[in-house]
């Protein structure tokens, strides 16, 4: 069920609806009367292929607000305005949407959108806390351009992100507990690029999707998250996350050391280039009839290992998670190489992905293993990258290692 509140962001609910229906879901849209001032009923009916109701006196023989609520697998409210959050928190049932919210026994996901002042008002904060205490997932809003010329926190999350969170809750209703409140988390994501000349660079195939999923899920579980983002495939910034954009391995190194200084948890999910050119050509290297000079390379710093060493030196004390993208070869399989890497790096947890043949890089789903410093190993079944992120955070927050997170 897709509820639509009466805010200017209601037009983005159409994109959420389209993505849900195109991925095979049967969606019933329940807009408020105010929402129809922004998007007409015909639009929702055309995109959902279902009739649209707003009042409890429509489709009376079917008792629609009871039928829809009881049969829904997930309720998503986009946008959840300040008024709608207030009515839901206090159990009002004065239209089809709020009546259905009272009959729903499935996960409920509310995506807020409003002006910053409204989001920060004590009444709204109390209503959000009350809804969350009942198990309703109320996400953190994004920051950015609002109605008119205003900018701040309260912008609707990107539709791609909303659908990703919805997909996560359909797979795991308990994936977003508020168990990370008070935690300061740093996540790196994407792939670094090492310039060769003004046109070319050395890089890798990392899309950044797994790191972004980790940041997104942590923020929606209550953490204060900093995302150090190298080059990605034009991913929307996760709502409620502070993003620091970097390009090269040296830039990522500087940003990670700075952000880790007061972090409780550090996750190195970025694919950092192992090498960079010794020198940067000031002009584009041209084709010639002769063989070009070989490109001299120098090794980049091992950022993950540096963070572990800095912790050992007492500079900070976070729980540190590393990532390993591995392939098997004649000397061993994926896990053999991963175990050796865990021993070299010295981090608390290593997330291992088998790469190649359409695995891990540039795909929507992921699988792998969790290798902990205490020797325990746990497989991660194939699922969305958000599901993997939730599983990683479950392990980190409930880890049986001797370290205390935070």
């Amino acid at each position: 069920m897709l509820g639509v509140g009466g805010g200017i962001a209601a037009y983005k609910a159409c994109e959420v609806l389209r993505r849900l229906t195109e991925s095979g879901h049967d969606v019933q849209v329940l807009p408020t009367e105010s929402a129809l001032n922004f998007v007409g009923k015909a639009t929702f009916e055309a995109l959902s292929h279902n009739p649209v109701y707003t009042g409890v006196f429509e489709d009376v023989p079917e008792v629609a607000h009871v039928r829809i609520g009881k049969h829904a697998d997930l309720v998503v409210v986009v946008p959840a305005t300040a008024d709608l959050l207030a009515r839901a928190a206090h159990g009002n049932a004065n239209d089809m949407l709020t009546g259905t919210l009272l009959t729903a026994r499935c996960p409920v996901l509310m995506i807020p959108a409003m002006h910053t002042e409204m989001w920060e008002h004590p009444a709204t904060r109390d209503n959000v806390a009350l809804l969350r205490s009942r198990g309703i997932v109320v996400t953190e809003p994004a920051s950015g351009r609002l109605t008119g010329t205003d900018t701040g926190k309260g912008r609707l999350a990107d539709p791609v992100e909303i659908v990703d969170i919805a997909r996560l809750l359909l797979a795991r209703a308990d994936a977003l507990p508020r168990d990370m409140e008070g935690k300061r988390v740093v996540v790196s994501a994407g792939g670094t690029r090492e310039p060769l000349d003004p046109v070319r660079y050395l890089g890798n195939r990392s899309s950044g999707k797994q790191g972004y999923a980790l940041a997104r899920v942590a923020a929606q579980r209550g953490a204060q998250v900093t995302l150090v983002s190298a080059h990605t495939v034009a991913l929307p910034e996760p709502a409620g996350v502070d993003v620091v954009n970097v390009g090269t391995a040296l830039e990522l190194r500087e940003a990670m050391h700075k952000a880790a200084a007061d972090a409780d948890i550090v996750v190195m999910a970025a694919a950092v280039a192992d090498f960079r050119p010794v020198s940067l050509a000031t002009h584009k290297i041209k084709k010639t009839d002769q063989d070009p000079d070989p490109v001299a390379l120098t090794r980049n710093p091992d950022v993950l290992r540096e963070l572990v060493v800095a912790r050992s030196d007492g500079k900070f004390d976070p729980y540190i998670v590393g990532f390993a993208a591995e392939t098997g070869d004649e000397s061993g399989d994926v896990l053999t190489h991963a175990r050796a890497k865990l021993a070299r790096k010295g981090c608390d947890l290593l997330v291992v992905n088998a790469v190649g043949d359409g695995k891990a890089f540039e795909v929507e789903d992921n699988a792998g293993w969790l290798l902990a410093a205490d020797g325990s190993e746990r497989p991660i079944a194939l699922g969305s990258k958000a599901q993997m992120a939730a599983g990683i955070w479950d392990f980190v927050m409930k880890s049986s290692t001797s370290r205390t997170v935070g």
Side-chain angles (χ1 to χ4, degrees), residues 54-404:
T54 58
V56 293
F57 294 106
E58 299 178 69
D59 197 15
V60 171
E62 288 288 327
V63 195
H65 67 286
V66 175
R67 173 180 56 82
I68 296 170
K70 290 173 66 175
H71 291 109
D73 297 303
L74 176 68
V75 175
V76 185
V77 181
V78 181
T81 62
D83 174 72
L84 190 48
L85 289 171
R87 290 194 288 138
H90 294 281
N92 290 359
N94 50 3
D95 60 12
M96 183 67 79
L97 174 53
T98 52
T100 303
L101 285 172
L102 290 180
T103 64
R105 294 297 180 266
C106 59
V108 176
L109 171 63
M110 305 191 80
I111 313 292
M114 63 198 74
H115 268 70
T116 306
E117 294 80 3
M118 300 175 75
W119 174 251
E120 294 177 347
H121 194 282
T124 302
R125 304 308 301 159
D126 287 347
N127 290 331
V128 169
L130 183 57
L131 289 166
R132 285 173 174 167
S133 72
R134 296 172 181 160
I136 292 175
V137 177
V138 183
T139 64
E140 292 296 317
S143 296
R145 183 71 177 269
L146 305 172
T147 305
T149 60
D150 292 342
T151 299
K153 190 169 185 178
R155 182 181 175 89
L156 189 78
D158 189 275
V160 172
E161 180 172 4
I162 295 170
V163 173
D164 193 43
I165 295 173
R167 183 185 177 195
L168 172 60
L169 290 177
L170 282 168
R172 269 195 58 190
D174 63 344
L176 295 175
R178 300 289 295 183
D179 61 344
M180 298 183 72
E181 290 183 331
K183 300 299 181 186
R184 293 164 296 180
V185 173
V186 180
V187 178
S188 69
T192 63
R193 292 180 179 180
E194 311 303 320
L196 177 61
D197 64 18
V199 176
R200 302 177 182 89
Y201 60 85
L202 300 179
N204 56 66
R205 294 173 52 200
S206 175
S207 66
K209 291 179 180 178
Q210 187 61 73
Y212 271 59
L214 281 159
R216 176 180 303 117
V217 172
Q220 301 308 341
R221 288 172 73 148
Q224 178 184 331
V225 183
T226 297
L227 174 62
V228 178
S229 175
H231 297 274
T232 67
V233 289
L235 301 176
E237 291 189 0
V241 172
D242 294 324
V243 179
V244 178
N245 292 301
V246 297
T248 67
L250 294 181
E251 291 171 352
L252 183 140
R253 174 200 200 187
E254 181 181 0
M256 288 300 294
H257 278 275
K258 181 179 179 180
D262 60 354
D264 298 304
I265 307 168
V266 173
V267 181
M268 275 293 299
V272 182
D274 292 323
F275 302 93
R276 67 182 186 276
V278 169
S279 60
L280 171 64
T282 58
H283 60 276
K284 179 182 177 183
I285 301 172
K286 301 290 193 295
K287 288 182 180 179
T288 65
D289 293 333
Q290 300 175 347
D291 291 335
D293 292 333
V295 177
L297 300 177
T298 186
R299 188 178 297 276
N300 272 322
D302 186 335
V303 182
L304 175 58
R305 180 59 188 163
E306 284 186 347
L307 292 170
V308 172
V309 171
R311 183 179 68 183
S312 299
D313 293 341
K315 294 181 179 179
F316 42 66
D317 192 33
Y319 184 100
I320 300 177
V321 181
F323 267 69
E326 294 289 351
T327 60
D329 57 26
E330 64 278 359
S331 64
D333 61 12
V334 168
L335 284 178
T336 298
H337 293 302
R339 294 181 189 114
K341 185 170 186 176
L342 175 62
R344 291 195 311 272
K345 302 295 185 180
C347 52
D348 299 293
L349 180 68
L350 190 69
V351 182
V352 184
N353 296 132
V355 297
D357 298 325
K359 298 176 181 177
F361 287 155
E362 301 173 321
V363 294
E364 297 303 318
D365 294 339
N366 210 352
W369 299 266
L370 299 180
L371 308 187
D374 65 357
S376 62
E377 299 182 4
R378 178 182 300 180
I380 304 175
L382 181 65
S384 72
K385 292 189 173 181
Q387 286 176 253
M388 174 173 269
I392 292 169
W393 290 128
D394 289 344
F395 187 92
V396 170
M397 297 307 295
K398 299 174 182 177
S399 177
S400 60
T401 62
S402 59
R403 289 190 49 79
T404 300

